Amino acid sequence: MTMPAAIDAVRAAFVGLTAGEFDLPPRHAFGESRSLVMAVHHRPTASTAVKVVSIEVERDPVIAGTVVFSHPDGQFAADAVPLTTLRTGAVVGVATDLLADEDADQLALLGAGAQAADQVRAVHAVRPLKKLVVFNRNPARAEALVEGLRDELPDTVLDVAVNADEAVAQADVVCCATAATVPLFDVGALKERVHVNAIGSYRPVMRELPEELLASAEVVVVDQVEAALSEAGEIIRAVRSGVLKLESLVELGAALGNPPLRQGRTVFKSVGVAVQDWAVARLLA
């Protein structure tokens, strides 16, 4: 399965979500969000995807689990790890294609874990990269990621930064894929025109983005407002403090139907919703 195909599938799924095609109950979280159950039903095709995962930050890979896809002709099960990294990359590709400048070609990636490579592949699929800069708290992991991507990105300059502020300083697009509980960078380190994706936080205590970025961004897009307000630490904190107005949050499906202007700093925050799993699993059916 190619990243462009996954991006197209996830884009269509979010348009369908906004059109009311899906039954999407809230995600169930157990044991301080170390076990998650996500389900979705697509009424037009009578198909259902259910994912059960465990998350251990110190484990490699962090995620372990299974996706079951059911449809009128049968069902199958798939490993949740590659499907999750692919669908998470794909939604970042959708958001980047929507919100980043058409000539954006420099990516800063913060984090070098299991999600990292598909974040790069997704951005590269919609904005061919001339330069990639990676920062990770463990420099060896950043170096290993860069080396692993070298053959895939032969025309891209690949580099490792010594800190997050250095990594984002010249970036047109920033991707955050960490388990951070405090913001990763200073808002002043960003260019005045930049698009930032954040997919790491999925619990209220986790944060990757500085509050000042959310307060000053031209637009803040989320995969689903309900999910963001219950799980995305940076969104929850910014709304509670009043620097981010609840009514200013835009869901991805709505933004696809009415694209915002590409100007200033734009943000996409994703906690992941089951329509993404359904969209990628359906490609396997």
Side-chain angles (χ1 to χ4, degrees):
M1 189 186 305
T2 66
M3 182 58 75
I7 289 171
D8 288 345
V10 168
R11 182 186 292 110
F14 273 95
V15 171
L17 178 62
T18 297
E21 295 178 359
F22 291 92
D23 296 315
L24 181 63
R27 176 158 61 192
H28 294 289
F30 306 99
E32 298 182 338
S33 296
R34 295 171 70 178
S35 295
L36 304 175
V37 180
M38 308 167 65
V40 64
H41 177 72
H42 185 239
R43 289 192 295 276
T45 59
S47 56
T48 300
V50 179
K51 182 168 75 173
V52 180
V53 297
S54 69
I55 301 174
E56 297 292 343
V57 174
E58 302 303 321
R59 183 178 61 197
D60 187 15
V62 172
I63 295 172
T66 302
V67 177
V68 176
F69 185 82
S70 301
H71 53 94
D73 295 326
Q75 71 174 32
F76 65 87
D79 183 352
V81 176
L83 190 145
T84 299
T85 62
L86 181 63
R87 63 82 141 153
T88 306
V91 77
V92 162
V94 172
T96 300
D97 195 31
L98 177 71
L99 298 170
D101 285 341
E102 291 187 0
D103 61 353
D105 59 15
Q106 295 201 38
L107 170 64
L109 173 64
L110 307 182
Q115 298 275 8
D118 274 340
Q119 294 289 296
V120 176
R121 293 177 182 121
V123 175
H124 186 60
V126 297
R127 296 293 187 273
L129 295 172
K130 291 183 179 178
K131 186 172 184 179
L132 166 66
V133 180
V134 180
F135 170 71
N136 193 73
R137 289 183 302 172
N138 180 345
R141 294 199 70 170
E143 293 282 2
L145 176 65
V146 164
E147 288 306 311
L149 290 169
R150 200 170 293 281
D151 288 345
E152 292 185 50
L153 304 171
D155 300 319
T156 304
V157 175
L158 307 179
D159 199 6
V160 173
V162 299
N163 59 59
D165 284 357
E166 176 188 281
V168 305
Q170 299 302 317
D172 305 310
V173 179
V174 176
C175 286
C176 305
T178 75
T181 56
V182 295
L184 297 172
F185 54 86
D186 187 280
V187 69
L190 295 170
K191 292 166 56 174
E192 288 302 314
R193 173 65 189 122
V194 63
H195 171 61
V196 180
N197 300 297
I199 60 96
S201 70
Y202 61 94
R203 298 169 57 198
V205 297
M206 300 173 73
R207 285 191 296 154
E208 295 182 297
L209 304 179
E211 205 166 80
E212 297 82 359
L213 173 60
L214 296 171
S216 61
E218 292 289 335
V219 62
V220 178
V221 176
V222 296
D223 40 18
Q224 187 188 43
V225 169
E226 181 183 4
L229 292 177
S230 63
E231 300 178 6
E234 49 268 276
I235 299 294
I236 294 169
R237 183 185 180 99
V239 169
R240 285 178 178 172
S241 70
V243 303
L244 179 63
K245 301 300 181 185
L246 176 58
E247 57 270 20
S248 71
L249 292 174
V250 181
E251 291 193 337
L252 180 57
L256 289 166
N258 184 24
L261 294 175
R262 293 169 174 164
Q263 61 185 21
R265 293 166 176 164
T266 56
V267 173
F268 173 61
K269 171 58 199 166
S270 175
V271 294
V273 292
V275 294
Q276 298 164 237
D277 302 304
W278 173 89
V280 174
R282 188 186 182 197
L283 294 178
L284 301 173

